[in-house]
Amino acid sequence: MHKIYPSLIAALVLSSASGAAQAKDVTVMISGGFKAALEKLAPQYETQSGNHIILVSGPSMGKSAQAIPNRLARGEKTDVVIMVGDALENLEKERWLQPGSRVELADSPIGVVVKQGQPKPDISSRDALRATLLQAGSVAYSDSASGRYVSSRLFDTLGIAAQMKDKAHKVERVPVAGEVAGGKYALGFQQVSELLPVPGVTFIGELPDSVQYITRFAGAVTAHADHRQEGKALLDFLSSPTAQQTIAATGLKSVPAVQTVQLRDAVQ
C-alpha cells in the first residue's frame, strides 16, 4: 500500500488552489460580426490559457442601450472590445482604450439572404442586384456598419434610392437574418459572418465586387481593464494563423500581413 504523506497532500491542495487563483474571467464586449468566430475559438483559448471568456454582445455603434460605446459610457466594465474598426478608432480617440493595444482581426464582406424555401434571386452582378432590389417586396439592413453603407451609399450607387425609400427597413439590435427567417422581410443585407449562423434563411452570396463594402474588425484592451495581460493574450491568439483558419470558416476574411494606409472600415 502506498502512503500519502500529509506534506504531499498539502502541496497538492496548494497547487490546485494556486491554479484556480491564477485563472481569470476575461470579459469581452463584442459585436455580431465577429461573435461566431470567437464562440468557436473560445474553448481552445480557454484550454490553452486556463482563463474563461465572458461574452457581452452589442452593436459597434447606434443608439441602442446594448451598443458597445453606450455600455462603456454608462460604466459597464470589460477587458477587451472587438468591433468595427472605425467605431474602435472613435473609442480610442475618447480614451476608452489602452494606447497601442489595437489588433487587426478580420475583414467582413456584406451578403444577402432570403427566407429558407424561397427562390434565390440573382445578385451576381451590379445590374442583377439592382433588378433584384427593385423587384423585392421588402428589404432589411442592420443598424451597424453594413446597414449604414446599404442605406446611405448602395442604393444611391445603384440609382434606386427613391424606389427603396418605402420598402427598405433598418433592423436594430437583432440579427437581420432572423427577421427574414420570420417572414417579416423578403431580403436581408448584413455582414456574411452575421448571416451564416442564423437558421431559417438561405444565403444567396456576397455583394458583387463593384459595389461591395468591406468592414474591418479589430480588438483592443480597454483603459480600465482588470485583466490587461490576459486580454492582450486573447487578441494575439485571435490574430494567429491557427485561429485565422477557424475565423475564415465563419465568413470572415483574414487581414493581410502588411496593412495599407487606407482601410475600408468606415462609412464616410
Side-chain angles (χ1 to χ4, degrees):
M1 180 181 295
H2 297 287
K3 294 183 178 180
I4 301 178
Y5 296 98
S7 59
L8 176 58
I9 295 175
L12 291 172
V13 170
L14 287 172
S15 175
S16 176
S18 174
Q22 292 174 1
K24 303 292 194 304
D25 287 335
V26 182
T27 302
V28 181
M29 285 188 184
I30 187 167
S31 59
F34 201 83
K35 185 180 178 184
L38 184 51
E39 287 177 335
K40 288 181 178 294
L41 288 164
Q44 182 180 348
Y45 170 78
E46 291 177 340
T47 298
Q48 292 178 0
S49 68
N51 298 318
H52 176 61
I53 295 176
I54 299 174
L55 292 182
V56 178
S57 299
S60 294
M61 58 192 74
K63 298 180 180 179
S64 72
Q66 293 83 4
I68 292 173
N70 298 334
R71 287 183 181 276
L72 294 175
R74 64 173 177 265
E76 291 190 34
K77 293 200 67 175
T78 185
D79 298 301
V80 173
V81 289
I82 297 177
M83 56 199 296
V84 172
D86 62 320
L88 190 70
E89 185 176 340
N90 290 336
L91 292 184
E92 186 173 15
K93 291 176 181 177
E94 295 170 4
R95 299 184 179 180
W96 288 108
L97 309 178
Q98 286 191 45
S101 67
R102 173 169 169 156
V103 176
E104 311 302 320
L105 296 176
D107 286 338
S108 180
I110 297 175
V112 187
V113 293
V114 294
K115 183 176 181 179
Q116 192 172 49
Q118 294 298 310
K120 293 175 64 175
D122 185 6
I123 62 166
S124 60
S125 68
R126 176 173 172 152
D127 288 342
L129 174 64
R130 184 179 189 277
T132 290
L133 283 168
L134 290 174
Q135 293 170 9
S138 58
V139 174
Y141 56 88
S142 79
D143 62 346
S144 195
S146 63
R148 290 191 179 188
Y149 168 73
V150 169
S151 61
S152 68
R153 287 172 54 183
L154 179 62
F155 297 152
D156 281 335
T157 299
L158 297 175
I160 57 173
Q163 295 94 319
M164 300 303 297
K165 184 177 180 181
D166 293 330
K167 63 178 180 178
H169 306 273
K170 179 167 67 175
V171 175
E172 296 185 351
R173 302 187 306 277
V174 299
V176 169
E179 300 293 274
V180 176
K184 192 170 183 179
Y185 305 108
L187 290 179
F189 288 73
Q190 201 163 13
Q191 291 153 7
V192 174
S193 58
E194 296 189 68
L195 297 175
L196 294 181
V198 180
V201 295
T202 299
F203 177 65
I204 302 171
E206 299 177 9
L207 294 183
D209 289 343
S210 61
V211 291
Q212 181 58 272
Y213 177 81
I214 303 297
T215 299
R216 167 64 49 84
F217 279 93
V221 180
T222 58
H224 304 292
D226 290 330
H227 308 301
R228 297 185 179 187
Q229 292 183 348
E230 291 79 9
K232 182 60 166 62
L234 171 61
L235 293 174
D236 289 342
F237 165 72
L238 294 174
S239 63
S240 68
T242 301
Q244 286 291 312
Q245 294 178 10
T246 300
I247 289 170
T250 66
L252 295 165
K253 300 182 185 297
S254 294
V255 177
V258 179
Q259 299 299 324
T260 57
V261 174
Q262 185 177 4
L263 296 176
R264 296 175 63 192
D265 67 355
V267 178
Q268 300 299 330

